């Protein structure tokens, strides 16, 4: 009898436990979905208590979202496996600033399309990936001060009849990358041209070389890297937008924004910023930077 009673009791508590677990699981889901939903205000709610600096110190490394396919900013060498560029050196400088050691950084590949969701769902601490500061993007992330000034331009095969944005018409196919400002801008500035969108810059450049389009459009800084990669291609015309780059931080994490800005200022004061600029771009930075 006694055992039977106890069995009954434990059955009941099992039922309660089960209900409790179901309720908990439900809560978990509610919290997880907004963070993985880029562009919703839910992402902002989820980041209210975010303290990226504390998380970095606890794990002992900075996790930076960078490009792997963009020469001069973030490019992975397929043989050595090393990722190098201006943005990579910025990530190292941040590890030095926060942890006192520039090697304490883990790089994670992002594309123009994946970078904001990856930041919002917590997979990376910061985006350092040729990202333009725009009003639209400010609704989803916070930005550091400008650390590089680029502008959109066009890349063509040498000898192409395209000489600038004014050459684009209904017969022109323009290649660009998903999630970039370049796509939005070109659709606005050359509304008749056909636009083909690719996942990343490697794919877009390969498509240009394969004759799948007449021109590739993105920032002059990125096109410069492509010209260095293959001198059969050149940039034409003037830049037709302003693309100020910022490092993106989860919304509401002011301490992280302040730390990154402090680092930038220190790098400018010490001359380290100018050195980096010259190392990657081959010239000294325009005085406004
Ligand atoms: N700077 C532009 C952007 O943020 C183009 C470069 C890129 O796709 O990262 O969209």
């Amino acid at each position: 009898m006694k055992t039977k009673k106890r069995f009954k009791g434990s059955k009941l508590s099992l039922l309660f436990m089960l209900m409790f677990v179901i309720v908990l699981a439900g809560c978990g889901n509610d919290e997880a979905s907004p963070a993985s939903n880029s562009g919703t205000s839910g992402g902002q709610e989820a980041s209210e208590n975010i303290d990226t600096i504390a998380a970095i110190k606890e794990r002992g490394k900075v996790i930076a979202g960078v490009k792997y396919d963009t020469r001069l900013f973030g490019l992975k060498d397929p043989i050595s496996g090393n990722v190098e560029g201006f943005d990579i050196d910025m990530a190292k400088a941040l590890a030095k600033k926060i942890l006192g050691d520039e090697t304490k950084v883990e790089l994670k590949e992002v594309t123009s399309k994946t970078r904001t969701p990856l930041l919002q769902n917590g997979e990376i601490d910061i985006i350092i990936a040729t990202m333009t500061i725009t009003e639209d993007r400010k609704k989803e992330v916070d930005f550091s001060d400008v650390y590089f000034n680029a502008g959109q331009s066009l890349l063509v095969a040498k000898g192409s009849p395209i000489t600038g944005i004014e050459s684009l018409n209904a017969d022109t196919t323009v290649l660009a990358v998903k999630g970039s400002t370049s796509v939005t801008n070109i659709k606005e500035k050359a509304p008749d041209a056909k636009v083909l969108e690719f996942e990343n810059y490697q794919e877009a450049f390969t498509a240009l070389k394969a004759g799948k389009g007449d021109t590739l459009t993105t920032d002059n800084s990125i096109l410069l890297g492509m010209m260095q990669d293959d001198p059969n291609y050149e940039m034409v015309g003037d830049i037709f937008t302003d693309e100020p780059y910022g490092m993106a931080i989860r919304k509401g994490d002011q301490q992280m924004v302040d730390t990154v800005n402090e680092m930038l200022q220190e790098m400018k004061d010490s001359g380290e910023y100018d050195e980096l600029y010259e190392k990657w771009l081959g010239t000294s930075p325009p005085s406004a930077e």
Side-chain angles (χ1 to χ4, degrees):
M1 276 299 270
K2 232 184 173 185
T3 39
K4 215 178 176 186
K5 228 181 179 176
R6 223 187 289 147
F7 179 64
K8 251 191 182 168
S10 64
K11 229 178 168 181
L12 205 69
S13 56
L14 201 75
L15 198 74
F16 273 123
M17 261 170 71
L18 210 73
M19 279 164 70
F20 186 62
V21 165
I22 289 168
V23 169
L24 264 188
C27 289
N29 266 347
D30 281 344
E31 259 170 24
S33 47
S36 56
N37 245 343
S38 109
T40 63
S41 56
Q44 295 170 23
E45 277 163 35
S47 58
E48 255 168 32
N49 298 322
I50 278 168
D51 184 348
T52 307
I53 305 270
I56 290 171
K57 286 188 174 158
E58 204 178 302
R59 88 164 88 82
K61 65 181 175 191
V62 173
I63 305 179
V66 299
K67 294 283 182 77
Y68 274 20
D69 70 331
T70 305
R71 190 175 294 273
L72 305 180
F73 286 84
L75 182 73
K76 186 171 184 172
D77 181 326
I79 295 160
S80 69
N82 289 339
V83 188
E84 291 187 324
F86 191 87
D87 284 341
I88 310 307
D89 285 348
M90 279 291 166
K92 289 179 183 168
L94 186 62
K96 190 162 177 215
K97 168 83 182 156
I98 299 173
L99 297 165
D101 183 346
E102 67 158 43
T103 66
K104 301 262 190 277
V105 57
E106 182 185 328
L107 304 173
K108 273 204 183 158
E109 183 179 13
V110 298
T111 66
S112 307
K113 195 179 81 181
T114 65
R115 58 192 163 194
T116 299
L118 287 174
L119 179 71
Q120 287 182 322
N121 74 16
E123 282 188 53
I124 53 178
D125 296 319
I126 188 164
I127 301 169
I128 315 179
T130 64
M131 188 168 183
T132 301
I133 303 169
T134 68
E135 289 308 314
D136 266 357
R137 288 174 177 169
K138 275 189 198 166
K139 292 176 195 152
E140 301 182 347
V141 298
D142 283 344
F143 281 104
S144 70
D145 292 338
V146 177
Y147 72 95
F148 190 89
N149 275 308
Q152 191 169 342
S153 191
L154 300 172
L155 186 78
V156 296
K158 278 185 180 164
S160 160
I162 294 172
T163 52
I165 182 105
E166 60 290 336
S167 309
L168 307 187
N169 55 42
D171 297 327
T172 325
T173 299
V174 184
L175 311 176
V177 167
K178 288 178 191 169
S180 66
T181 52
S182 327
V183 168
T184 338
N185 295 335
I186 202 73
K187 286 184 176 168
E188 200 184 293
K189 310 236 174 211
D192 294 336
K194 215 168 98 196
V195 181
L196 277 187
E197 295 179 41
F198 295 85
E199 292 301 322
N200 60 49
Y201 287 100
Q202 206 80 56
E203 277 185 24
F205 193 26
T206 304
L208 181 70
K209 290 180 187 171
K212 291 189 180 147
D214 305 294
T215 177
L216 189 163
T217 189
T218 188
D219 302 336
N220 53 355
S221 44
I222 298 177
L223 299 178
L224 193 70
M226 292 178 180
M227 282 164 60
Q228 289 182 9
D229 186 31
D230 189 336
N232 294 313
Y233 291 84
E234 65 181 353
M235 238 188 290
V236 287
D238 292 329
I239 58 164
F240 47 87
T241 67
D242 288 327
E243 307 289 332
Y245 291 177
M247 296 179 231
I249 290 143
R250 266 183 295 277
K251 202 142 186 63
D253 194 345
Q254 192 55 41
Q255 197 200 356
M256 182 70 169
V257 174
D258 292 344
T259 304
V260 172
N261 286 342
E262 207 177 277
M263 171 195 80
L264 272 175
Q265 196 53 55
E266 284 165 5
M267 287 175 81
K268 285 185 182 175
D269 293 345
S270 70
E272 196 187 337
Y273 177 87
D274 286 21
E275 264 172 44
L276 269 192
Y277 196 106
E278 273 174 43
K279 173 180 169 190
W280 293 107
L281 281 305
T283 57
S284 39
S287 43
E289 267 168 354

